[in-house]
Structure formats: C-alpha cells, structure tokens
C-alpha cells in the first residue's frame, strides 16, 4: 500500500488535484518502453486514479494512459490498453451517468469519448485503434454522442499513416 502511494505521488505529484509530475512521467514512459509492458502496479494505480471522484485526478490518469499509448511503440503496451479491461473500462465510464456507481465526475465521460475517438483514428489498423473504434460504435449505438477526432489526433493519424512527421 505504501509503495503504491509513493508511486502515485511520483506520477501525479502529490495529493488529489496536484499537477502531473512530467519528469516522473517521462521516466515512467522510458521504463515501460524498455520493459515492453505496463507493470501491474502501475496499471492498478492508474485504475484507481481513473476511479477518482475528483475530475482533475481522473483526467490526469487519462492523460497518463494516453501518453503511454502514444509514446510506446506498437506491441504489448498498446495490446494491454486494447485488451478487454482497459478500453471497455474507459467506454463504460464514458457511458455512465454523472454520479452513477461508476463514480464518474461531470466532464469525464466527454473526455473518455474523445480519447476513444482519437485512438480509433491515430491507431487505425492496430489492435488499439480497432478496440477504440468498436467502443465508439457501441457508445453511439447506446445513443451517446461521440465526438470526431481532435485536430491533434488528425495530425497524428496523418503522421502515422504516412510515416512523415508533421
């Protein structure tokens, strides 16, 4: 428990509402890239942070998850995120009404839907993109509004498709 709290503080910089510790996040990204997967303890911390009642904390966790997807090459890390638990968990939170037992603070469902839409484009043709696209279709089928990809995702998608930096 104490180790998890230390890791949590390293990643998000302290108590709920504090800023992301970008240096620690950079070190985490390097470690995950070298290891080739997201360690279980980090997955647990991110899961707990995503379940926070505090919007800022949940959004920070979402940012970290997105950074892992964007900065770790195609392979096990993105497969971990594409797996049943991660993408479906994000989708379920996006579909949960505010105040629902999923403890989804106002503003988080829209951010989750945006992330899924972005991943569907940026990682198109990869397992993560396919899983995100499937969840976007499922959310839309439930009558929920799923936005189009952000301008940044459009640029990243073009970069990914062409192999040319923009």
């Amino acid at each position: 428990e104490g180790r998890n709290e230390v890791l949590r503080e390293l990643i998000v910089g302290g108590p709920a509402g504090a800023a992301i510790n970008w240096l620690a996040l950079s070190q985490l990204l390097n470690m995950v890239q070298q290891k080739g997967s997201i360690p279980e303890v980090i997955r647990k911390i991110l899961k707990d942070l995503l379940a926070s009642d505090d919007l800022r904390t949940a959004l920070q966790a979402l940012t970290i998850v997105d950074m892992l997807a964007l900065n770790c090459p195609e392979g096990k890390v993105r497969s971990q995120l594409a797996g049943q638990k991660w993408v479906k968990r994000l989708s379920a939170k996006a579909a949960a009404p505010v105040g629902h037992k999923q403890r989804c603070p106002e503003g988080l469902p829209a951010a989750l839907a945006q992330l899924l839409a972005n991943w569907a484009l940026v990682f198109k043709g990869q397992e993560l993109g396919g899983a995100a696209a499937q969840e976007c279709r499922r959310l839309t089928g439930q009558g929920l509004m799923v936005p189009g990809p952000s301008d940044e995702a459009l640029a990243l998608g073009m970069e990914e498709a062409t192999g040319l930096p923009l």
Side-chain angles (χ1 to χ4, degrees):
E1 185 65 35
R3 180 177 170 209
N4 288 359
E5 196 55 35
V6 169
L7 284 169
R8 181 192 179 285
E9 287 190 24
L10 277 174
I11 295 169
V12 295
I20 290 175
N21 180 337
W22 292 101
L23 178 59
L25 178 57
S26 173
Q27 292 169 342
L28 172 67
L29 290 171
N30 286 335
M31 186 261 303
V32 169
Q33 288 170 343
Q34 289 174 359
K35 184 176 170 94
S37 65
I38 306 168
E40 185 176 334
V41 66
I42 300 298
R43 289 193 311 264
K44 182 186 179 331
I45 291 168
L46 290 171
K47 178 183 163 194
D48 291 347
L49 292 171
L50 279 168
S52 174
D53 288 331
D54 178 66
L55 177 61
R56 186 172 176 158
T57 299
L59 289 174
Q60 289 171 338
L62 195 61
T63 298
I64 293 166
V65 170
D66 191 32
M67 296 301 292
L68 286 165
L70 292 171
N71 290 288
C72 295
E74 184 177 2
K76 187 168 182 186
V77 172
R78 290 186 189 161
S79 291
Q80 284 178 301
L81 295 173
Q84 296 275 20
K85 292 182 181 178
W86 275 100
V87 171
K88 287 196 183 279
R89 181 180 296 127
L90 297 175
S91 177
K93 286 188 80 64
V98 173
H100 185 264
K101 68 177 182 175
Q102 292 256 356
R103 298 184 342 183
C104 198
E106 187 173 352
L108 187 59
L112 290 162
Q114 184 67 65
L115 178 74
L116 291 170
N118 288 350
W119 281 1
L121 174 71
V122 172
F123 302 117
K124 186 177 183 175
Q126 297 177 30
E127 184 181 5
L128 182 55
Q134 180 178 349
E135 290 305 310
C136 286
R137 287 189 300 274
R138 193 179 68 71
L139 290 171
T140 302
Q142 292 178 343
L144 297 168
M145 173 71 176
V146 176
S150 67
D151 290 343
E152 293 81 10
L154 290 169
L156 284 170
M158 185 69 95
E159 197 172 294
E160 188 81 19
T162 64
L164 300 173
L166 297 178

